[in-house]
Amino acid sequence: MKSQSIQELLSGKNVLQEVTVFGWVKTFRSNRFIALNDGSTLNNIQCVVNFEDFEDELLKQISTGAALKVTGTLVESQGKGQSVEIQVKNVEVLGSADPETYPIQPKKHSLEFLREKAHLRIRTNTFSAVMRVRSALSFAIHQYFRENGFYYVHTPIVTGSDAEGAGEMFRVSTLDAKNPPLTETGEVDYKEDFFGKETNLTVSGQLEAEAYAMALGKVYTFGPTFRAENSNTSRHLAEFWMVEPEVAFNDLDANMDLSEDFIKNVIKYVLEHCQEDLQFLEQRLLDEEKSKPQAERSEMALIEKLKFVAENNFKRVTYTEAIDILKNCKPNKKKKFKYIIDEWGADLQSEHERYLVEKHFQCPVILFDYPAKIKAFYMRLNEDGKTVRAMDILFPGIGEIVGGSQREERLDVLKQKISELGIDEKELWWYLDLRKFGTAVHSGFGLGFERLVLFTTGMGNIRDVIPFPRTPQNAEF
Amino acid sequence: MKSQSIQELLSGKNVLQEVTVFGWVKTFRSNRFIALNDGSTLNNIQCVVNFEDFEDELLKQISTGAALKVTGTLVESQGKGQSVEIQVKNVEVLGSADPETYPIQPKKHSLEFLREKAHLRIRTNTFSAVMRVRSALSFAIHQYFRENGFYYVHTPIVTGSDAEGAGEMFRVSTLDAKNPPLTETGEVDYKEDFFGKETNLTVSGQLEAEAYAMALGKVYTFGPTFRAENSNTSRHLAEFWMVEPEVAFNDLDANMDLSEDFIKNVIKYVLEHCQEDLQFLEQRLLDEEKSKPQAERSEMALIEKLKFVAENNFKRVTYTEAIDILKNCKPNKKKKFKYIIDEWGADLQSEHERYLVEKHFQCPVILFDYPAKIKAFYMRLNEDGKTVRAMDILFPGIGEIVGGSQREERLDVLKQKISELGIDEKELWWYLDLRKFGTAVHSGFGLGFERLVLFTTGMGNIRDVIPFPRTPQNAEF
């Protein structure tokens, strides 16, 4: 007999049929009611055991975490809380879970405790809900781009280019770590390394995606990126997944339109397909916030917040307007900000972004036209000669979730920028080729996928929305 | 006016309307006919210019590779080869491409030449077709798993575990490369490294996927994996993408069923959605093979071959049966094989796999129940005590495209295997936990994504089916 997933069984189509189901015990009450879960859904199926019919030895092994094969008849439930249940005819314990040593007992565990058990935490409701939502978001991303004529490009992870400029990099090498070969001048001889040159883990697939956009038109990447930065915050990972669309012939306005439409659509997908998990995560967040003072609690419940983002326009504000708002706001005048904003050109810190999004506008904000000096070399210089066509999307509770720009398409302007920064043109020979041959306006952005998952699940720490987080001093599992 | 993609325009819905289109010049014939392409499809749109209406200076810039903005009226074509064309009112050259220096001229370039120009080769018909098919295959993979109740898991790229055992690894480090810190005993002190331990690039996400399968039931990974092996062949990359499903409660038979159904479905998706690109690639292969002796040409044309795989059962053969066939086959008896098969237990080489698939069975073959000694430690030992529940799928022209197994779910057997191999149990503490708590039968496999793209596109070298290939001595771009 073929087994069925618990999600299928709970749909109630097979009532009065004999069914076989595999899963893990969530709880076993009164030697009679097994709550069984197989990961296909947050919900358990209740398996009702006539304990008189089974050996004590067997019943004893039915404890939280044990893997079972259950056969019985699917019937409409007599109890509350479920529509159907299984009248058990046979139970086989595939693998027990000793209650004395199994860490995931049915009680409240701290998220910190569970982080040490990243291989088992997925067996809790919270993490299984988060990871199902994460999976749905991933699919929504691929589906959105596919339906909108984009091609998925796998840009390289190991890069020989050190001009990506987005952050500190990890070196990738097979040289002897203790006694690397040296050149005549006493430097490490990377000619003898695996790739014949110094290589690092990528910080962004953008430059390569640009090459593909300049032929396929609309492309996107969705892959891992890396930052070797010693940032021990709840919003930073050393290894994280990034989504980077890049579109030929799009200017900054079209880029903003795309990013907003994209985010709204993937959130709508999750609202539609992950209702049970989102309801659970909403309740989890409410419970967590009960212990916080009123002022620190979320203004909206999780699902309300997601609907708000999906249904309302993001506010578009120039950097110059934002600086005016910040210069004149209370926390700035009363010197409550750590970094006081006193003139145009200042880089915005997390406290400023949060003020704009959470206090002033109270909705997602797209800031654009930043000073050239605080942005990357490849961004399109505006006619004013001092701002670039950059944009950041700021989300409540998250801060920057998207960073993007129209790219500098003019060979001479780009060359001058590169030379001013002291970057060797040879490093970027192929990137410059894109401006030599058939150059055109084009734009793109990068979305930090884990920050989107954070926002969508209402979790508070980025370590809790990726299966096995990599952070300074931590690469367990 | 909003622009439209060439794919939309060619559908012919907007005839007699004024349209704007952006793209790159493929050819410009007789100072009159521009073949324009924007990457949305293999096909170009013909833009008809009345050269009397335009300046010579402008017309001169319309050469292969130039980026244009074209406005005009979409009309039914008077010429052969296309249904609609644009009667041009206005042309703007966004970026020219000097014919003297632009390498991608409309003539035949060797694949080797184009590999040196990986940032521009995507502008050729061959590479744009390959990469559109690659993108479609990626989507088909996500869609197949989503529709079948699987969750997508992002397993880590940087791993602290050196027990994955699938091959040589790349070290990831931020230590000073020339003068790394040393311990008292003179070894490199990885405690001072970014992650506080020695870390490498993953060779497989399987072990972590198993942890997730033992809670979510059905999961898959699709991400980059790495091998630091000096294999300069047409089938090996140092960085490649792998798909790794893992399913709780699946035995080896169910695993074989899944892998076969999965491959057939993604190939069907491409047959349905990439007809034009596949027809082009089929013709490319026919042209390429014209110069080969009859015996080396493909027996089936590309699309016929894909349909054959999608519609026919894979042949399932035990290792033991395969050895019998090989021992008694002509090339073995006549010592034509480099490695002669004379006894049970021999590891199969590429020449043997190809004989089985291409000569003996002439269809995809699933070999299973291999000798334990030639397979990985985590594979389920059969009751005979000498074979394991492993399976490999062999494809004509490609060789191994899938490797998988039922996993050893018994703690004691797994521990003994680990100890026999001299692996430290502490390295695998969390993997062993999966057998301590709620263990159950489970299975999975890994599919080399680039090999699937090779097979589907009919290309001959794996470097030509990934955007920026990484191989020994090569990490350009």
Side-chain angles (χ1 to χ4, degrees):
Chain A
M1 189 182 359
K2 217 179 158 296
S3 69
Q4 285 165 298
S5 77
I6 288 174
Q7 192 176 37
E8 286 168 316
L9 290 179
L10 290 175
S11 74
K13 279 183 221 139
N14 301 297
V15 167
L16 297 182
Q17 291 183 19
E18 176 135 321
V19 296
T20 297
V21 61
F22 294 89
W24 293 273
V25 177
K26 282 282 183 182
T27 56
F28 185 31
R29 283 188 301 121
S30 317
N31 233 8
R32 187 168 174 82
F33 302 105
I34 305 170
L36 198 72
N37 188 281
D38 66 357
S40 63
T41 158
L42 184 76
N43 299 310
N44 309 318
I45 192 153
Q46 176 159 286
C47 305
V48 185
V49 180
N50 269 331
F51 54 81
E52 302 85 351
D53 303 344
F54 294 91
E55 297 291 334
D56 271 0
E57 209 41 54
L58 178 85
L59 294 172
K60 260 191 228 162
Q61 288 186 70
I62 303 176
S63 64
T64 298
L68 305 186
K69 177 184 182 181
V70 173
T71 308
T73 311
L74 191 72
V75 298
E76 289 189 21
S77 179
Q78 277 113 54
K80 271 188 268 183
Q82 63 271 326
S83 58
V84 293
E85 62 189 24
I86 297 174
Q87 292 289 355
V88 177
K89 289 193 179 143
N90 196 37
V91 179
E92 188 183 333
V93 177
L94 305 172
S96 59
D98 179 2
E100 300 293 316
T101 54
Y102 183 54
I104 312 295
Q105 292 301 318
K107 59 167 195 162
K108 194 147 179 62
H109 300 284
S110 77
L111 296 172
E112 292 76 14
F113 169 82
L114 290 170
R115 244 169 256 153
E116 307 285 313
K117 311 254 179 293
H119 62 309
L120 299 176
R121 67 177 179 173
I122 182 64
R123 301 179 181 197
T124 65
N125 285 338
T126 296
F127 283 94
S128 71
V130 166
M131 296 305 167
R132 278 189 295 263
V133 171
R134 184 182 167 108
S135 172
L137 277 170
S138 299
F139 184 72
I141 288 166
H142 287 297
Q143 191 174 60
Y144 176 85
F145 286 125
R146 178 107 191 131
E147 286 177 352
N148 285 281
F150 285 70
Y151 297 105
Y152 182 29
V153 180
H154 291 113
T155 49
I157 310 303
V158 175
T159 174
S161 160
D162 63 359
E164 294 177 356
E168 291 297 309
M169 297 174 104
F170 290 100
R171 192 175 57 253
V172 173
S173 176
T174 57
L175 292 179
D176 187 299
K178 194 174 150 190
N179 296 306
L182 301 178
T183 62
E184 283 178 10
T185 58
E187 296 308 307
V188 173
D189 188 1
Y190 288 109
K191 287 220 176 91
E192 294 201 21
D193 208 346
F194 187 90
F195 294 110
K197 63 192 295 192
E198 189 173 353
T199 50
N200 295 291
L201 290 179
T202 185
V203 296
S204 161
Q206 177 200 318
L207 305 192
E208 291 90 354
E210 283 186 55
Y212 266 53
M214 296 311 282
L216 295 181
K218 296 157 89 173
V219 303
Y220 72 106
T221 75
F222 185 1
T225 49
F226 304 84
R227 296 278 190 287
E229 275 151 28
N230 202 4
S231 301
N232 254 314
T233 83
S234 59
R235 296 190 304 143
H236 291 88
L237 291 166
E239 173 181 319
F240 58 100
W241 285 65
M242 190 138 71
V243 182
E244 297 182 281
E246 190 72 35
V247 185
F249 314 116
N250 260 11
D251 61 15
L252 187 64
D253 282 333
N255 201 31
M256 291 195 272
D257 291 345
L258 172 66
S259 59
E260 182 171 342
D261 188 58
F262 163 66
I263 293 177
K264 286 177 170 173
N265 267 282
V266 299
I267 287 180
K268 278 180 198 161
Y269 182 93
V270 169
L271 280 168
E272 194 176 325
H273 291 88
C274 303
Q275 288 178 28
E276 288 162 359
D277 288 320
L278 289 179
Q279 278 160 11
F280 174 85
L281 291 166
E282 172 167 294
Q283 191 55 50
R284 188 206 72 81
L285 186 58
L286 287 173
D287 293 346
E288 186 184 79
E289 291 191 339
K290 270 184 198 152
S291 62
K292 289 187 180 174
Q294 188 72 41
E296 288 176 28
R297 295 183 199 169
S298 308
E299 302 218 341
M300 294 183 199
L302 181 63
I303 293 171
E304 188 189 0
K305 182 188 77 172
L306 296 178
K307 284 185 179 159
F308 179 85
V309 168
E311 288 161 11
N312 288 283
N313 288 340
F314 297 3
K315 181 77 185 167
R316 300 186 188 188
V317 186
T318 65
Y319 167 88
T320 303
E321 290 170 293
I323 285 290
D324 282 343
I325 293 166
L326 289 167
K327 267 204 292 201
N328 297 312
C329 75
K330 266 193 193 167
N332 200 56
K333 289 185 164 172
K334 296 196 167 179
K335 305 205 187 290
K336 291 272 167 75
F337 284 149
K338 193 171 162 203
Y339 298 90
I340 301 302
I341 298 287
D342 47 20
E343 61 183 10
W344 193 93
D347 206 353
L348 300 187
Q349 304 297 322
S350 170
E351 57 183 347
H352 310 126
E353 295 176 349
R354 294 192 69 151
Y355 175 82
L356 289 169
V357 170
E358 289 163 25
K359 303 292 174 195
H360 190 84
F361 290 110
Q362 299 187 306
C363 72
V365 172
I366 310 185
L367 286 187
F368 65 99
D369 280 352
Y370 280 84
K373 282 190 183 160
I374 60 172
K375 287 291 181 182
F377 74 89
Y378 48 72
M379 296 186 177
R380 177 59 154 85
L381 194 64
N382 273 313
E383 307 314 320
D384 63 14
K386 62 177 192 171
T387 59
V388 286
R389 292 187 191 159
M391 63 150 196
D392 283 352
I393 302 186
L394 311 177
F395 258 42
I398 303 291
E400 184 189 327
I401 195 165
V402 159
S405 69
Q406 186 177 319
R407 318 307 188 185
E408 184 56 74
E409 86 281 13
R410 297 164 299 182
L411 183 62
D412 51 342
V413 181
L414 187 59
K415 273 187 162 179
Q416 193 180 333
K417 196 70 170 280
I418 287 174
S419 127
E420 281 167 19
L421 291 171
I423 303 172
D424 186 352
E425 264 188 31
K426 280 184 210 143
E427 281 289 333
L428 289 166
W429 67 274
W430 61 271
Y431 189 67
L432 291 170
D433 265 7
L434 306 178
R435 279 71 183 169
K436 257 181 224 161
F437 306 121
T439 191
V441 164
H442 62 291
S443 301
F445 62 85
L447 170 128
F449 180 61
E450 279 73 21
R451 293 194 179 173
L452 180 65
V453 184
L454 260 188
F455 181 77
T456 310
T457 58
M459 299 296 286
N461 192 313
I462 204 159
R463 291 169 177 81
D464 296 333
V465 300
I466 189 167
F468 299 94
R470 266 65 181 120
T471 52
Q473 299 299 310
N474 176 36
E476 193 59 84
F477 308 102
Chain B
M1 185 182 2
K2 217 176 157 300
S3 69
Q4 286 165 300
S5 77
I6 288 174
Q7 191 175 39
E8 286 167 316
L9 290 179
L10 289 176
S11 73
K13 278 181 220 139
N14 301 296
V15 169
L16 297 182
Q17 289 181 19
E18 176 135 320
V19 297
T20 297
V21 63
F22 293 90
W24 293 273
V25 177
K26 282 282 184 180
T27 56
F28 185 32
R29 279 189 302 120
S30 317
N31 232 8
R32 189 170 173 83
F33 301 106
I34 305 170
L36 198 71
N37 188 281
D38 66 357
S40 63
T41 158
L42 184 77
N43 299 312
N44 309 317
I45 192 152
Q46 176 159 289
C47 306
V48 185
V49 180
N50 267 331
F51 55 83
E52 302 84 354
D53 303 345
F54 294 90
E55 298 289 332
D56 270 2
E57 209 42 53
L58 179 86
L59 294 173
K60 260 191 228 163
Q61 289 186 67
I62 303 176
S63 63
T64 297
L68 304 186
K69 177 184 182 182
V70 172
T71 308
T73 311
L74 191 72
V75 297
E76 289 188 22
S77 179
Q78 276 113 54
K80 271 187 266 182
Q82 64 273 328
S83 57
V84 293
E85 63 189 22
I86 296 174
Q87 291 289 354
V88 177
K89 290 191 180 147
N90 196 37
V91 179
E92 190 183 332
V93 178
L94 306 172
S96 59
D98 179 2
E100 299 294 315
T101 54
Y102 184 53
I104 312 295
Q105 293 301 319
K107 59 166 194 164
K108 195 147 179 62
H109 300 285
S110 76
L111 296 173
E112 291 76 14
F113 169 82
L114 291 170
R115 244 171 254 155
E116 307 285 313
K117 310 255 178 295
H119 61 310
L120 299 177
R121 67 177 178 173
I122 182 63
R123 302 179 180 196
T124 65
N125 286 338
T126 296
F127 283 95
S128 71
V130 166
M131 296 306 167
R132 278 189 296 264
V133 171
R134 183 181 168 109
S135 172
L137 278 170
S138 299
F139 185 73
I141 288 166
H142 287 297
Q143 190 173 60
Y144 176 86
F145 286 125
R146 178 107 192 132
E147 286 177 353
N148 287 281
F150 285 70
Y151 297 105
Y152 183 28
V153 180
H154 291 115
T155 49
I157 310 302
V158 174
T159 175
S161 159
D162 63 359
E164 294 177 354
E168 290 297 310
M169 296 174 106
F170 290 100
R171 189 173 62 253
V172 173
S173 176
T174 58
L175 291 179
D176 187 299
K178 194 176 153 189
N179 295 307
L182 300 179
T183 62
E184 283 178 9
T185 57
E187 296 307 307
V188 174
D189 189 2
Y190 287 109
K191 286 217 176 89
E192 295 201 21
D193 208 346
F194 187 91
F195 293 110
K197 65 192 296 193
E198 189 172 354
T199 50
N200 295 292
L201 291 179
T202 185
V203 295
S204 161
Q206 176 200 320
L207 305 192
E208 291 90 354
E210 282 186 56
Y212 267 54
M214 296 312 281
L216 295 182
K218 295 157 90 171
V219 303
Y220 72 105
T221 75
F222 185 1
T225 48
F226 304 84
R227 298 277 191 287
E229 275 152 28
N230 201 6
S231 302
N232 253 315
T233 83
S234 60
R235 295 190 307 143
H236 290 88
L237 291 165
E239 172 181 318
F240 57 100
W241 286 65
M242 191 139 71
V243 181
E244 297 182 281
E246 191 72 35
V247 184
F249 314 116
N250 260 10
D251 60 15
L252 187 64
D253 281 333
N255 200 32
M256 290 194 273
D257 291 346
L258 172 66
S259 59
E260 183 171 343
D261 189 58
F262 163 67
I263 293 176
K264 286 177 171 175
N265 268 281
V266 298
I267 287 180
K268 277 181 197 159
Y269 182 93
V270 170
L271 281 168
E272 195 176 323
H273 291 88
C274 303
Q275 286 178 28
E276 287 162 0
D277 288 320
L278 290 179
Q279 277 160 10
F280 174 85
L281 291 166
E282 172 168 294
Q283 191 56 49
R284 190 207 69 84
L285 186 59
L286 286 173
D287 293 346
E288 187 184 81
E289 291 190 338
K290 271 183 197 154
S291 61
K292 288 185 180 174
Q294 188 72 40
E296 288 175 28
R297 296 183 198 170
S298 308
E299 303 217 341
M300 294 183 199
L302 181 62
I303 293 172
E304 186 188 1
K305 181 188 77 173
L306 296 178
K307 285 186 179 160
F308 179 84
V309 168
E311 288 161 11
N312 289 282
N313 289 339
F314 296 3
K315 180 77 186 169
R316 300 185 187 188
V317 186
T318 65
Y319 167 88
T320 304
E321 290 170 295
I323 287 290
D324 282 345
I325 292 166
L326 288 167
K327 267 205 292 201
N328 297 312
C329 76
K330 264 192 193 166
N332 200 57
K333 289 186 164 170
K334 296 196 166 176
K335 306 205 186 292
K336 291 272 167 79
F337 284 148
K338 193 172 163 201
Y339 298 90
I340 300 303
I341 298 286
D342 46 21
E343 62 184 11
W344 193 94
D347 205 352
L348 300 188
Q349 305 297 323
S350 171
E351 57 183 344
H352 309 127
E353 295 176 350
R354 294 192 71 152
Y355 175 82
L356 289 169
V357 171
E358 291 163 24
K359 302 292 174 195
H360 190 85
F361 291 111
Q362 298 187 305
C363 72
V365 172
I366 310 184
L367 285 188
F368 64 100
D369 281 352
Y370 279 83
K373 282 191 182 159
I374 60 172
K375 286 290 181 183
F377 74 89
Y378 49 71
M379 297 185 176
R380 176 61 153 83
L381 194 64
N382 274 313
E383 308 314 321
D384 64 15
K386 61 177 192 170
T387 60
V388 287
R389 291 187 192 159
M391 62 150 195
D392 284 351
I393 303 186
L394 311 177
F395 257 42
I398 304 289
E400 184 189 325
I401 194 165
V402 158
S405 68
Q406 186 177 321
R407 318 307 188 185
E408 183 54 76
E409 85 280 13
R410 298 164 299 182
L411 183 62
D412 52 343
V413 181
L414 187 59
K415 273 186 161 177
Q416 193 181 332
K417 195 69 171 282
I418 288 174
S419 126
E420 282 167 15
L421 290 172
I423 303 173
D424 186 353
E425 264 189 30
K426 280 185 208 143
E427 281 288 333
L428 289 167
W429 68 273
W430 60 272
Y431 189 67
L432 291 170
D433 264 9
L434 306 178
R435 278 71 183 170
K436 257 182 222 158
F437 306 121
T439 191
V441 164
H442 63 290
S443 302
F445 62 86
L447 169 127
F449 180 60
E450 279 74 20
R451 293 193 180 174
L452 180 64
V453 184
L454 260 188
F455 181 77
T456 310
T457 58
M459 298 297 285
N461 191 312
I462 203 160
R463 292 169 177 81
D464 297 332
V465 300
I466 189 167
F468 298 94
R470 268 62 181 119
T471 51
Q473 299 299 309
N474 176 35
E476 193 57 82
F477 309 101

